PDB file of all heavy atoms in Angstrom:
ATOM      1  N   ARG X  38       4.530   8.558   6.630  1.00  0.00           N
ATOM      2  CA  ARG X  38       4.253   7.402   7.577  1.00  0.00           C
ATOM      3  C   ARG X  38       5.038   6.243   7.123  1.00  0.00           C
ATOM      4  O   ARG X  38       5.652   5.516   7.949  1.00  0.00           O
ATOM      5  CB  ARG X  38       2.760   7.099   7.636  1.00  0.00           C
ATOM      6  CG  ARG X  38       1.951   8.097   8.273  1.00  0.00           C
ATOM      7  CD  ARG X  38       0.613   7.596   8.755  1.00  0.00           C
ATOM      8  NE  ARG X  38      -0.166   6.953   7.778  1.00  0.00           N
ATOM      9  CZ  ARG X  38      -0.951   7.568   6.989  1.00  0.00           C
ATOM     10  NH1 ARG X  38      -1.201   8.752   7.043  1.00  0.00           N
ATOM     11  NH2 ARG X  38      -1.628   6.818   6.131  1.00  0.00           N
ATOM     12  N   VAL X  39       5.227   6.057   5.745  1.00  0.00           N
ATOM     13  CA  VAL X  39       5.956   4.923   5.332  1.00  0.00           C
ATOM     14  C   VAL X  39       7.421   5.122   5.700  1.00  0.00           C
ATOM     15  O   VAL X  39       8.142   4.180   6.207  1.00  0.00           O
ATOM     16  CB  VAL X  39       5.847   4.845   3.777  1.00  0.00           C
ATOM     17  CG1 VAL X  39       6.959   3.894   3.151  1.00  0.00           C
ATOM     18  CG2 VAL X  39       4.477   4.329   3.425  1.00  0.00           C
ATOM     19  N   GLN X  40       7.946   6.299   5.523  1.00  0.00           N
ATOM     20  CA  GLN X  40       9.424   6.583   5.797  1.00  0.00           C
ATOM     21  C   GLN X  40       9.619   6.411   7.332  1.00  0.00           C
ATOM     22  O   GLN X  40      10.621   5.949   7.727  1.00  0.00           O
ATOM     23  CB  GLN X  40       9.766   7.946   5.414  1.00  0.00           C
ATOM     24  CG  GLN X  40       9.963   8.036   3.879  1.00  0.00           C
ATOM     25  CD  GLN X  40      10.972   7.084   3.304  1.00  0.00           C
ATOM     26  OE1 GLN X  40      12.025   6.959   3.992  1.00  0.00           O
ATOM     27  NE2 GLN X  40      10.781   6.619   2.134  1.00  0.00           N
ATOM     28  N   ASP X  41       8.604   6.820   8.074  1.00  0.00           N
ATOM     29  CA  ASP X  41       8.870   6.703   9.521  1.00  0.00           C
ATOM     30  C   ASP X  41       8.997   5.202   9.945  1.00  0.00           C
ATOM     31  O   ASP X  41       9.769   4.821  10.819  1.00  0.00           O
ATOM     32  CB  ASP X  41       7.676   7.232  10.350  1.00  0.00           C
ATOM     33  CG  ASP X  41       7.773   8.836  10.176  1.00  0.00           C
ATOM     34  OD1 ASP X  41       8.763   9.403  10.073  1.00  0.00           O
ATOM     35  OD2 ASP X  41       6.662   9.435  10.534  1.00  0.00           O
ATOM     36  N   ALA X  42       8.118   4.290   9.339  1.00  0.00           N
ATOM     37  CA  ALA X  42       8.192   2.955   9.488  1.00  0.00           C
ATOM     38  C   ALA X  42       9.507   2.278   9.122  1.00  0.00           C
ATOM     39  O   ALA X  42      10.064   1.409   9.756  1.00  0.00           O
ATOM     40  CB  ALA X  42       6.955   2.216   8.852  1.00  0.00           C
ATOM     41  N   LEU X  43       9.848   2.732   7.879  1.00  0.00           N
ATOM     42  CA  LEU X  43      11.277   2.201   7.339  1.00  0.00           C
ATOM     43  C   LEU X  43      12.293   2.492   8.144  1.00  0.00           C
ATOM     44  O   LEU X  43      13.395   1.897   8.121  1.00  0.00           O
ATOM     45  CB  LEU X  43      11.324   2.613   5.861  1.00  0.00           C
ATOM     46  CG  LEU X  43      10.298   2.148   4.779  1.00  0.00           C
ATOM     47  CD1 LEU X  43      10.515   2.781   3.532  1.00  0.00           C
ATOM     48  CD2 LEU X  43      10.504   0.586   4.702  1.00  0.00           C
ATOM     49  N   ASN X  44      12.294   3.616   8.788  1.00  0.00           N
ATOM     50  CA  ASN X  44      13.299   4.078   9.700  1.00  0.00           C
ATOM     51  C   ASN X  44      13.192   3.471  11.083  1.00  0.00           C
ATOM     52  O   ASN X  44      13.982   3.832  12.036  1.00  0.00           O
ATOM     53  CB  ASN X  44      13.263   5.622   9.853  1.00  0.00           C
ATOM     54  CG  ASN X  44      13.635   6.316   8.583  1.00  0.00           C
ATOM     55  OD1 ASN X  44      14.388   5.799   7.681  1.00  0.00           O
ATOM     56  ND2 ASN X  44      13.039   7.499   8.371  1.00  0.00           N
ATOM     57  N   SER X  45      12.422   2.479  11.263  1.00  0.00           N
ATOM     58  CA  SER X  45      12.299   1.700  12.436  1.00  0.00           C
ATOM     59  C   SER X  45      12.651   0.274  12.304  1.00  0.00           C
ATOM     60  O   SER X  45      11.794  -0.542  12.154  1.00  0.00           O
ATOM     61  CB  SER X  45      10.871   1.774  13.077  1.00  0.00           C
ATOM     62  OG  SER X  45      10.753   1.029  14.276  1.00  0.00           O
ATOM     63  N   PRO X  46      14.000  -0.067  12.393  1.00  0.00           N
ATOM     64  CA  PRO X  46      14.390  -1.424  12.177  1.00  0.00           C
ATOM     65  C   PRO X  46      13.784  -2.440  13.217  1.00  0.00           C
ATOM     66  O   PRO X  46      13.699  -3.569  12.956  1.00  0.00           O
ATOM     67  CB  PRO X  46      15.952  -1.381  12.117  1.00  0.00           C
ATOM     68  CG  PRO X  46      16.227  -0.100  12.865  1.00  0.00           C
ATOM     69  CD  PRO X  46      15.199   0.891  12.467  1.00  0.00           C
ATOM     70  N   ARG X  47      13.591  -1.789  14.409  1.00  0.00           N
ATOM     71  CA  ARG X  47      12.957  -2.714  15.447  1.00  0.00           C
ATOM     72  C   ARG X  47      11.565  -3.302  15.028  1.00  0.00           C
ATOM     73  O   ARG X  47      11.251  -4.402  15.364  1.00  0.00           O
ATOM     74  CB  ARG X  47      12.894  -2.043  16.848  1.00  0.00           C
ATOM     75  CG  ARG X  47      14.359  -1.681  17.477  1.00  0.00           C
ATOM     76  CD  ARG X  47      14.058  -1.187  18.872  1.00  0.00           C
ATOM     77  NE  ARG X  47      13.720  -2.362  19.742  1.00  0.00           N
ATOM     78  CZ  ARG X  47      13.221  -2.118  21.053  1.00  0.00           C
ATOM     79  NH1 ARG X  47      12.829  -0.975  21.373  1.00  0.00           N
ATOM     80  NH2 ARG X  47      13.123  -3.213  21.808  1.00  0.00           N
ATOM     81  N   LEU X  48      10.859  -2.316  14.388  1.00  0.00           N
ATOM     82  CA  LEU X  48       9.547  -2.816  13.986  1.00  0.00           C
ATOM     83  C   LEU X  48       9.626  -3.803  12.938  1.00  0.00           C
ATOM     84  O   LEU X  48       8.918  -4.866  12.978  1.00  0.00           O
ATOM     85  CB  LEU X  48       8.835  -1.489  13.277  1.00  0.00           C
ATOM     86  CG  LEU X  48       7.447  -1.729  12.602  1.00  0.00           C
ATOM     87  CD1 LEU X  48       6.435  -2.198  13.567  1.00  0.00           C
ATOM     88  CD2 LEU X  48       7.193  -0.575  11.804  1.00  0.00           C
ATOM     89  N   GLN X  49      10.457  -3.713  12.001  1.00  0.00           N
ATOM     90  CA  GLN X  49      10.641  -4.730  10.941  1.00  0.00           C
ATOM     91  C   GLN X  49      11.075  -6.058  11.543  1.00  0.00           C
ATOM     92  O   GLN X  49      10.630  -7.124  11.192  1.00  0.00           O
ATOM     93  CB  GLN X  49      11.556  -4.298   9.781  1.00  0.00           C
ATOM     94  CG  GLN X  49      10.859  -3.238   9.015  1.00  0.00           C
ATOM     95  CD  GLN X  49      11.844  -2.035   8.454  1.00  0.00           C
ATOM     96  OE1 GLN X  49      13.017  -2.359   8.405  1.00  0.00           O
ATOM     97  NE2 GLN X  49      11.313  -0.870   8.288  1.00  0.00           N
ATOM     98  N   ASP X  50      11.944  -5.948  12.478  1.00  0.00           N
ATOM     99  CA  ASP X  50      12.562  -7.082  13.203  1.00  0.00           C
ATOM    100  C   ASP X  50      11.326  -7.889  13.959  1.00  0.00           C
ATOM    101  O   ASP X  50      11.305  -9.073  13.753  1.00  0.00           O
ATOM    102  CB  ASP X  50      13.643  -6.823  14.078  1.00  0.00           C
ATOM    103  CG  ASP X  50      14.168  -7.948  14.869  1.00  0.00           C
ATOM    104  OD1 ASP X  50      14.718  -8.815  14.165  1.00  0.00           O
ATOM    105  OD2 ASP X  50      14.266  -7.986  16.133  1.00  0.00           O
TER     106      ASP X  50
END
Side-chain angles (χ1 to χ4, degrees):
R38 296 200 303 274
V39 167
Q40 284 303 319
D41 289 343
L43 290 173
N44 291 332
S45 175
R47 291 191 81 196
L48 170 68
Q49 288 143 28
D50 180 56

